[in-house]
Amino acid sequence: MTDSVARKIEKLRDEIRHHERLYYVLDAPEISDAEYDALMNELKRLEAAHPELVTPDSPTQRVGGKPAEGFRKAAHARPMLSLDNAYNTEELSEWDRRVHELAGNLPVDYIAELKLDGLSVALRYEPAAGGGAHLALGLTRGDGQIGEDVTSNIRTIRSVPLSISTDRLQKARLPRGFEVRGECVMPQAAFLHTNEEREREGLPPFVNPRNSAAGTVRTLDPGIVATRGLVFFAYFLLVEGEYFAAGQTATLDALTTLGFRVNPHRARVHTVDDMLKFIEQAEENRASLGYEIDGVVLKVDAHATQQRLGYTGRAPRWAIAYKFTAQSAITRLEDILITVGRSGKLTPTALLTPVFVGGVTVSRATLHNADFIERMGLLIGDWVKVERGGDVIPKVVEVVDDDKDHPRGNRKFAFPANCPECGNAVVREEGEADWRCVNADCPAKLRETLLHFGSRGVMNIEGLGDASVQQLLDRGLVKSVADLYALTKEQLVDLERFAEKSAQTLLDEIERSKKAGLARVLMGLGIRFVGERTAELLAQEFGSIDAVMAASAEELERVEEVGPRISEAILEFFSRPANRTLVQRLKDAGVDMTAEKKQRTTQLAGLIFVLTGTLPSLTRDKAKQKIEAAGGKVSGSVSKKTNYVVAGEEAGSKLDKARELNIPVLDEAGLWALLHSLPQPG
Ligand code: IVH
């Protein structure tokens, strides 16, 4: 019986994978969304009835992985390099000339591809238990040597195959272990959607699809990643740490055979003229692709030629990125709008006569801060040049001043001396670019704070949106987030738009939020610079709000990512009596402010290290600190007791001694790998 269920499940999975590929990789679905959902629901139902048959590569397992606790780091099989840039025809010709010169008698054909504007990731596939290969690891680029393990997030991206059949591997002539590299991009539609949602939730918008993609891939909750519509385009293949032998065309073909999404806009080119034609075509298509590109990448095709050309420190000599110049248009500055954020920061936004730039209509652009307006000498009514670079947020870059067609404006903009929402005087601290409203009771701040507190990703109180917050404020029902927990049904039904049922739903949501846990509360408090990741790491380190409040700067800075700027903000926040009272009131209301503490890492316990020479990025003190934090010891001289010698540039006699005694020698990457790749206890 189970046998036939198992067969049925496998059949359904294959069918779903087939349709996912048609939809997400080939962009050519054969069934409707509803039919797809029906297949998926059937599979979910069967798996729920037979949990022993659930496998990690089942299509149902893309979502729902447990939120990651920070990210483990891991070393790249080969460094993830960058590309050199060319900005004009001369630079491109110069590169082409060098390629020919260095290639000697080897063939020079180029492949032109789009330069996708996202973040690069490396996907490691390993032999799967049941045959074929499965996705074992997904790493961000990180510093090129060490990346972050974002596997559970990558798994939610539909164009990334979780497993690859033996059949496909054979067709592509690949072994069962290999690495695929490519770019994670967020399509513009998904980006706009993400930001609409963030705006509704009172969160600051992402500035462009690239940042949004990067922020999403590093989100600690795979459930959120799954909703963000990321797409992965593959362009690189490593087998046993080496580049796939035959060259770039063969690589792209193999990736296609394996079931990856490979960008269809590519061409084989020979001369600089061909390259320029491709570039022109790409610029023309740019607005209608649906995702952002910021240039064209040209790659020498043949592997033998690539090898002959080799690498500089940071980039291959056999490839170059031709970067587009930003797109711009001229329009009129109608007015400047000032908004007040949660921190009290006043932000100026240019209100523009709508104009078409790079495929979208732009009517607002950022003006950054008061200095920016001042420096440009901006007048209301001015004609301005707006630019959209790789960014979707347009920028005002200059005032157009040729009095014939574009006369200057006539009204100087006076940056308000008072908060536009509460009327209190605004202040600007020394060395800061922003004016702030420091009135703790400013309704704008309170409104933004409440919206932030209730938003998804923070306390997640559904129903606490713009309209209901405004009503609560208008009636004076809440003066602080703590007041949310004292709301009653009688008060709510009395408000417009609230019926018995919706009032109860909101109260239930507020009640439920009490269990959100320490990290969410830390985020909700709105401490400057404390975002999702920092809050999560602080919660894991300290385990309770009391411990966080009692921590010294030094103790706070032991947390990864917390430096003096953040520790100071935290100390400042909790030094204010009003904030301490707020915490106490939340506690009294029954809001859980604890978290599971993470065991201190002890993977290097008992190991003795000797440091010698200069490491590429870690100072000696930092390296020592890292080793000791992981339980290891650092000694000054090499002896038989030494377990590892970490050697950098210009290592001296200690390195000789290590070799003599046969002690393993690590470089910085090796040290990182040791610190981060070993299984963590607890
Ligand atoms: S190949 C050895 N191809 O551009 C270098 N990169 O500026 C391998 N990128 O880090 C890179 N589109 O994230 C390559 N078609 C494409 C690309 C591409 C975007 C990114 C990649 C790289 C960055 C360098």
Side-chain angles (χ1 to χ4, degrees), residues 279-327:
I279 290 166
E280 201 179 310
Q281 187 70 49
E283 290 207 83
E284 257 170 49
N285 291 343
R286 188 176 184 186
S288 54
L289 289 170
Y291 47 84
E292 305 265 318
I293 57 172
D294 60 342
V296 162
V297 184
L298 296 142
K299 302 176 181 176
V300 169
D301 191 10
H303 185 67
T305 317
Q306 290 182 357
Q307 272 186 314
R308 165 86 56 94
L309 287 158
Y311 299 81
T312 62
R314 57 178 281 274
R317 284 199 195 85
W318 48 263
I320 198 154
Y322 182 94
K323 296 286 266 285
F324 295 147
T325 43
Q327 308 177 81

Side-chain angles (χ1 to χ4, degrees), residues 81-83 85 113-120 141 182-183 235-236 243 294 297 299 311 316 318 321 323:
L81 299 177
S82 167
L83 291 170
N85 296 323
E113 296 173 14
L114 299 182
K115 185 163 175 353
L116 305 157
D117 201 10
L119 80 155
S120 45
R141 179 170 186 276
E183 203 84 354
Y235 51 65
F236 231 81
Y243 293 103
D294 60 342
V297 184
K299 302 176 181 176
Y311 299 81
W318 48 263
K323 296 286 266 285

Side-chain angles (χ1 to χ4, degrees), residues 61-68 152-156 158 197 216 219-229 456 520 532:
Q61 301 302 300
R62 284 195 189 266
V63 206
K66 278 212 306 287
S152 39
N153 288 342
I154 296 291
R155 291 173 61 87
T156 68
R158 304 289 179 144
E197 195 168 286
T216 300
T219 297
L220 290 162
D221 184 352
I224 294 183
V225 185
T227 63
R228 293 267 176 90
R456 176 125 58 101
R520 302 297 182 107
E532 183 189 12

